[in-house]
Amino acid sequence: MAKQIIKVEHLEKYYQKDHILHDINFSIDQGEVVALLGPSGSGKSTLIRCLNGLEAYQKGTITFNGKQVEPTEKYWQQVRQKIGMVFQSYDLFPNLTVLDNILLGPVKVQHQSPKVAQASAEKLLDQVGLRDYEKAYPRQLSGGQKQRIAIVRALALKPELMLFDEVTASLDPEMVRGVLNIISKLAQDANMTMIVVTHEMNFAQQIADRVLFLEDGRILEQTKGDQFFKQPQTDRARAFLESMAF
Amino acid sequence: MAHSGINVLFEGRNLIRLFGGLWTTVEIAGVALILGLLLGIVLGVLRTFPNRLLRLVLRLYLEFFRITPTVVLLFLFYYILPRQLGVNLPANQMAMLAFALWTSAEMSDIVRGALISVPKHQRESGMAIGLNRWQLYRYVLIPQAVSLELPATVNLVTRVIKTTSVLMLISVMDVINVGQQVVEANNQKFPTGVFWVYGMIFVMYFAIDYPLSWWAKRLDKKRLERANG
Ligand SMILES: Nc1ncnc2c1ncn2[C@@H]1O[C@H](COP(=O)(O)OP(=O)(O)O)[C@@H](O)[C@H]1O
Ligand SMILES: [Mg+2]
C-alpha cells in the first residue's frame, strides 16, 4: 500500500459569515496526481491554500505525512517546506536574481550549504531549459519563463507534495504548453505527488489519476481520471465538462 | 564701497561664525536623521504587525508628532520636559532628541506605507517556501519597500534640514541664531548688513536642500518609469 501524504477530514472554511468550504474529505497517496476541478468561485483556490496554511480553517483536520497539523504559524512553517506551491500570478521576488529566488528557501530556511544548494538549483534550471538565466532578474523574463522558475523554486525545497493553482491561466497561449510539459514530466519521471487546479481539460485528462470535482464548496465527485472525463457521475460534473467544451 | 553691506560677511570673524552655526545645524540634523530614520524603520515594521494595541500606540505616536508644531515641540523638549521629568541635557542634544523622535514618527509612516503596498502575493509566496516572519521582512518585504520609499525618505530629509532653522528659537548656536547676533552686533556699521547675512543663510540652506529635493524628484520619476515599463 502506498504511503499516504495528506489527509483532509471534515474541513470547514468561512470568510466571516460566508460558508466557503463544506465538510471536505479526501486523502492523497504518494505519487498520486489529483486534478481539482470546478467552476470559477467554487472554492478551489481556497481549498488548496488551506492545505499549506495560507488560509485558516474553522473546523476539521489536516494530516500531513501521518501527523495531524497543529494550526499554528510555527507548525505550518515546518510543513510548508515539504509542500511546494505555485500560484497563478507571477510571484518571483523582483529584488532577487533567478538563482537567489531559488536558493532563498534551501539556504535560509533549510540551512543547506550554499554550494550544494546551488548545484542542485542549476540542475533543476537545466531541466526546465533556463540555466542561462540564473543571473537574470524576474523583470527580464517572459511570463512562461517566470512560471517555470517558480516551479523550480518550489522544487528546490525537495517537497513531498506540489500544489499548482491555475499556473497557466495568465500566460499567453504559446507559453502554456511549455509549462504544462514540465508539470507532466514531474508527474511521470519524478513520480511527484500533486494537486493541480487547471482550466486546461486536455491536460487534466492526460495527467490526473483522480479528479476531485468541487462545486459551491462541496466535493461532488471523486472519480478516477479517465472515468471522470468519459462518464462523470453527477449531472453537475457533466454540465461542467460540457461548458469547458474541450 | 568699503561700507557696502556685503562686507558685513567679511568683517572680523563673522563668516567663520556663520559657518560654525551652519555646522551646528548640520550636526543636529545629521544625528537626528541617523537616529530617527533607523528608529522609524523599526517602528514602521512594527506598524505592519497584526497586534492591534501596538498599532494603535504607534499610530498615536505618529499623530502626536504630526499635530504638534515643531516650535511647540522644541519648547516642550527644551523647557517643559527638563523641569517635569528632570531630564537635563545640553540644548544641542535636546534638539537632536526632539528632531530624531519627530523624524522617526514620519519615517514610520513612510516605511509602513511602502511595506503594505508590496503585493500580497509576494508575502504569500515567501510564506509558501517556509520563511518565518523575520526572514520574510528581511529578504522579501523590506528590500522591495526600500525602492518604493526612497523618494519620500529623501523628501523627509530635506524637510528636517529646513526645519532645523527654527532652532533659533532656543538657545542653540545655529546658523540663524548666529546670523541674528551678527546682524545686531554690526547694525551701526552696516545698515544693509541684515540683507547680506540672511541672504548668506538662504544660500547655505539652498545649497543643502536643493540637491536633495532634486534627487527626490528624480528618484520618484525613475520609480514611476520602472513601475509603468
Ligand atoms: N479573501 C476573501 N474574502 C472573502 N471571500 C472570498 C475571499 N477569497 C475568496 N472568497 C470567496 O470564496 C469563494 C471561493 O473562491 P475561490 O477559492 O477563489 O474559488 P476558485 O478558485 O474555485 O475560483 C468565492 O465565492 C469567493 O468570492
Ligand atoms: Mg482560483
Side-chain angles (χ1 to χ4, degrees), chain A residues 49 52 54 73 77 80 83 87 89 91-95 104-105 108-109 153 157, chain B residues 120-133 135 139-140 143-144 226:
Chain A
R49 289 158 55 83
N52 72 348
L54 290 181
E73 192 53 29
Q77 274 165 22
R80 285 184 194 126
I83 302 182
F87 303 81
S89 58
D91 55 3
L92 296 179
F93 306 126
N95 53 309
L104 190 56
K108 299 300 176 189
V109 178
R153 184 175 66 184
L157 291 161
Chain B
K120 179 166 155 258
H121 264 106
Q122 287 290 318
R123 176 184 287 267
E124 290 185 343
S125 39
M127 288 165 73
I129 58 171
L131 297 180
N132 63 31
R133 185 154 75 175
Q135 292 169 327
Y139 299 109
V140 179
Q144 290 183 47
R226 209 174 330 153

Side-chain angles (χ1 to χ4, degrees), chain A residues 35-42 44 166 197-201 204 211-215 220-221 228-229 232 234-246:
Chain A
L36 179 58
L37 306 179
S40 163
S42 57
K44 304 180 296 293
E166 308 218 31
V197 178
T198 182
H199 276 119
E200 306 277 339
M201 288 301 129
V211 173
L212 296 190
F213 178 68
L214 202 63
E215 193 168 272
L220 294 192
E221 257 191 63
F228 178 85
F229 289 97
T234 57
D235 292 343
R236 296 312 235 349
R238 190 169 305 120
F240 169 75
L241 282 174
E242 274 162 17
S243 77
M244 300 304 285
F246 68 100

